[in-house]
């Protein structure tokens, strides 16, 4: 069975976390989705590229989540979420996923 790339897991965590928080009106539930995807992606990053790269990508994941908030004031909520999710996915592919294949 094919494994879902960490880039897709991380991007889905950011988009899915926001969607859950927005549509359920429960920010904590969105945080659970965000954290679960982050842990899953982190395990894949560590396996594919080692602990150092996993730490860098984990930091990027958290920074993307935090950075989406001020970015939303300029772009709007959904465009900001998609922008940071795409950035994390690109970094994940470049640093980990392309080496895992």
């Amino acid at each position: 069975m094919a494994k879902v790339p960490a880039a897709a897991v991380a991007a889905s965590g950011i988009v899915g976390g926001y969607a859950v928080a927005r549509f359920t009106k429960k920010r904590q539930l969105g945080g659970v989705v965000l954290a679960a995807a982050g842990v899953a992606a982190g395990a894949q990053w560590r396996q594919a590229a080692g602990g150092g790269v996993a730490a860098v990508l984990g930091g990027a994941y958290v920074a993307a989540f935090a950075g989406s908030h001020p970015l939303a004031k300029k772009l709007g909520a959904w465009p900001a979420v998609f922008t940071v999710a795409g950035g994390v996915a690109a970094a994940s592919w470049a640093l980990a996923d392309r080496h895992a294949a």
Side-chain angles (χ1 to χ4, degrees), residues 7-93:
V9 173
S12 297
I14 292 171
V15 173
Y18 176 68
V20 167
R22 179 173 179 144
F23 295 122
T24 65
K25 308 245 188 282
K26 297 186 187 303
R27 294 178 72 184
Q28 299 86 350
L29 192 55
V32 168
V33 171
L34 181 76
V39 168
Q44 287 184 256
W45 292 329
R46 187 175 311 115
Q47 182 180 17
V53 170
V56 167
L57 289 170
Y61 186 76
V62 172
F65 165 71
S68 69
H69 292 82
L71 189 59
K73 292 180 182 176
K74 295 181 184 231
L75 300 179
W78 280 110
V81 168
F82 286 127
T83 297
V84 301
V88 168
S92 176
W93 179 85

